[in-house]
Amino acid sequence: KCKGVPDPQRIRLSAAVKADNAMNGEIKLPDSKTSGSAPTMVGGKGERKLVEEISEAPKVPPKPQPSASVESAGAYLWAEKHPKPARSPYFRETVPDRFVLTVILPGITTIKEVDVQVKPKRVDFIAVDQDDGKPFFSVPLKYPVSEEPLHAKFIRATNTLILHLGVALPTDDKVVASRDAAEEEADEIKKEEAESQRRIAEQRAKFDRLRKEEEDVMKQRKEYVANINAVAGGLLPPSLIEEIGAMAKEQQQLMLLRIEKKVMKGDSIDELLTKMPPEAQHQLCRHLRSLLGLEQLPQAEKAQLPEPPISTDGAHTDMTKWADKMQDQESTETVEYNFAKKAERR
């Protein structure tokens, strides 16, 4: 540990000649050639660099925030607690007797660290060491409550505060309901219906999305099976026919030349030449020629290929000569191309 920022130190050597020391008058610094281990590698084995550059800073997990849940308990006794219930703006049957407030306060080990202020329709949580006195967390309440909680308990193991707050509605006779209780109750019912409709719409959208994904998967599977059956039968796969139909004329001409000449260029056409059976390749050439308006090549009859020589003991001999003969026979076959239209050739 040191105070301030350490400055780099420089070693200045005098030009005057001095007597040799144990290092023969020199100060040797380690380098990658003469040192026992490379100074830029860990352990000298060169497995990884001593200083590694990181493109992105490691993500710091977000700090947990306080959360709360409010539950209603019991039913408010209007006949006992309120002299004129009909004049109260809160008059309805759904008013609870008390609220059970469960608050999770991450990082709080004892309730003495927090100042809990219960207000008529809100509960504020203020840190004791905070100078401005602003609450770092607040929980709104639907109805006024008494400032003194009925029951309070802090669970240190889970940083959870449980408060039981009794509902205390104003009993002043001068307070007149601003709206009819039936209208307010109808508004609440409308809000609940809107929330229910929103949830139903979300579930329906999720169901439609899953159904569409399943339909897409089934469609891909059907196309895959249809393509395999077409290739096995010596026909063109439907997906390949659709893809070829969307190509430009120049691309179709180039594809026809490459397939008939067996030209490899390291692209997707090479996969057709290597994986597609010869019957399917022939059908592909016929399809391309029909799209380009070219004459179809005559169906070449399978030439009688010479049998490989067989020795007296049943094993094939002179395979090299037989393969050369086969190659010469294949090289004599030529294919002519004419991409002119039929009207131009006439």
Side-chain angles (χ1 to χ4, degrees), residues 2 53 70 133 175 191 208 247 302:
C2 62
E53 296 182 0
V70 181
V175 178
K191 291 181 181 179
D208 294 341
M247 290 183 178
K302 295 184 179 179

Side-chain angles (χ1 to χ4, degrees), residues 272-289:
L272 297 178
L273 295 173
T274 55
K275 298 181 180 180
M276 184 176 286
E279 296 81 1
Q281 294 184 18
H282 179 69
Q283 293 294 335
L284 178 58
C285 294
R286 292 182 62 84
H287 180 68
L288 288 171
R289 284 182 171 272

Side-chain angles (χ1 to χ4, degrees), residues 256 260 285-286 288-290 292-298 335-342 345-346:
L256 177 62
E260 292 186 345
C285 294
R286 292 182 62 84
L288 288 171
R289 284 182 171 272
S290 63
L292 296 173
L294 302 176
E295 294 182 358
Q296 300 292 344
L297 294 178
V335 180
E336 295 182 359
Y337 296 91
N338 185 2
F339 293 106
K341 297 181 181 179
K342 294 182 179 179
R345 289 199 297 271
R346 294 176 182 175

Side-chain angles (χ1 to χ4, degrees), residues 74-88:
Y76 189 77
L77 301 177
W78 288 98
E80 297 179 4
K81 298 182 178 181
H82 208 287
K84 297 179 180 180
R87 297 177 61 86
S88 174

Side-chain angles (χ1 to χ4, degrees), residues 64-70 101-106 125 136-139 158-161:
Q65 299 296 328
S67 59
S69 63
V70 181
L101 185 63
T102 304
V103 185
I104 299 177
L105 303 171
F125 296 86
F136 65 89
F137 186 59
S138 297
V139 180
T158 58
N159 308 110
T160 304
L161 176 63

Side-chain angles (χ1 to χ4, degrees), residues 114 122 134 160 261 328 345:
V114 181
R122 189 177 73 251
K134 293 183 179 179
T160 304
K261 289 290 187 179
D328 295 339
R345 289 199 297 271

